[in-house]
Amino acid sequence: MLLTEIDHVAIAVKDIEAAIDFYRRMFGAEVAYREVVEIDGVEEALLKVAESYVQLVTPIRHDSPVAKAIEKRGEGLHHIAYRVDDCADALASMVAAGATPIDKAPRPGSRGTLVAFIHPRGCFGTLIELVQEERRLSERAEREG
Ligand code: CO
């Protein structure tokens, strides 16, 4: 089994302040991380739920993939992110099994993670993100001395 945990469920929203406020009022949820990810053209707010996150994500540019998703399908579930021990290994394994990668190699995500996206085509319509946490990187570095 490649997947160790659900890292986050990402919800595309137009107004991130309104969405944060909703989660605060409904669930008493607080923002654990907040970050602009320039390369993806988004701002994210991460709300911790046990060891996972709800990720509220809003576009900061018109050409951002999240802007296009909201234009096409409206607000709502955008992708699911599965935590893995080794992003490169998991990506290679999925590609070998026939999945279509969006990222050819792992790249930096938010919170110092390494991530890779898999196209929803062939994944039952779900955009999948593989996430390797930084602590996994440092654990491996320690192990390997
Ligand atoms: Co994500």
Side-chain angles (χ1 to χ4, degrees), residues 8 10 44 55 79 81 117 129 131:
H8 61 271
E44 300 178 1
Q55 180 189 77
H79 62 270
F117 281 89
E129 179 181 12
V131 178

